[in-house]
Amino acid sequence: MALGNPASVPVGRYTQEALTKAGLWEELQPKLIMGESVRQVLDYVSRGEVDAGFVFATDAAIAKGKVKIVTAVQGHQPIVYPVALVSASSKQVLGQEFLNFLFAPESVAIFSKYGFGKP
């Protein structure tokens, strides 16, 4: 199995956390192949160089037809992408317009198409 290196790849840290909570990290660690990025892990899986890999669903979605999502891993901290309007910004109106754009139904549909959950 492949995963991103937990020392440098976020998906690797989430994977390590979930496997540790499940009591599997120590047992599996010697068998794991560490990738330098989530895309490298995705490439390993899509080329059949490993039997399985841990990647974000959004990355797996771009390899549709080459990889199959078999389960969503639980047991790690929530994965969030925060966005905020900076109160000291001189571009408050533009910032608010951008936030409105991100949460518009059309934008949410695009995020959904690429595997992101609803904000």
Side-chain angles (χ1 to χ4, degrees):
M1 288 189 293
L3 70 140
N5 185 337
S8 59
V9 182
V11 74
R13 287 190 292 275
Y14 293 117
T15 303
Q16 180 180 12
E17 181 181 359
L19 292 175
T20 299
K21 284 186 181 176
L24 297 170
W25 178 253
E26 293 301 323
E27 179 181 343
L28 292 176
Q29 193 172 9
K31 301 172 186 175
L32 298 173
I33 296 169
M34 301 294 176
E36 293 305 312
S37 71
V38 68
R39 292 295 173 94
Q40 184 179 39
V41 172
L42 183 62
D43 285 343
Y44 289 158
V45 176
S46 66
R47 291 190 306 248
E49 295 172 358
V50 295
D51 293 326
F54 294 91
V55 300
F56 292 121
T58 51
D59 291 297
I62 66 166
K64 202 172 196 176
K66 294 182 180 181
V67 302
K68 179 181 176 185
I69 298 172
V70 295
T71 190
V73 175
Q74 305 295 317
H76 56 77
Q77 62 181 304
I79 301 168
V80 296
Y81 297 91
V83 61
L85 184 60
V86 178
S87 61
S89 172
S90 62
K91 307 285 186 187
Q92 290 284 318
V93 173
L94 287 175
Q96 187 59 56
E97 287 175 4
F98 180 67
L99 288 177
N100 293 345
F101 167 77
L102 289 177
F103 292 95
E106 298 84 5
S107 297
V108 171
I110 292 168
F111 288 133
S112 180
K113 176 182 173 183
Y114 290 98
F116 290 91
K118 192 172 182 178

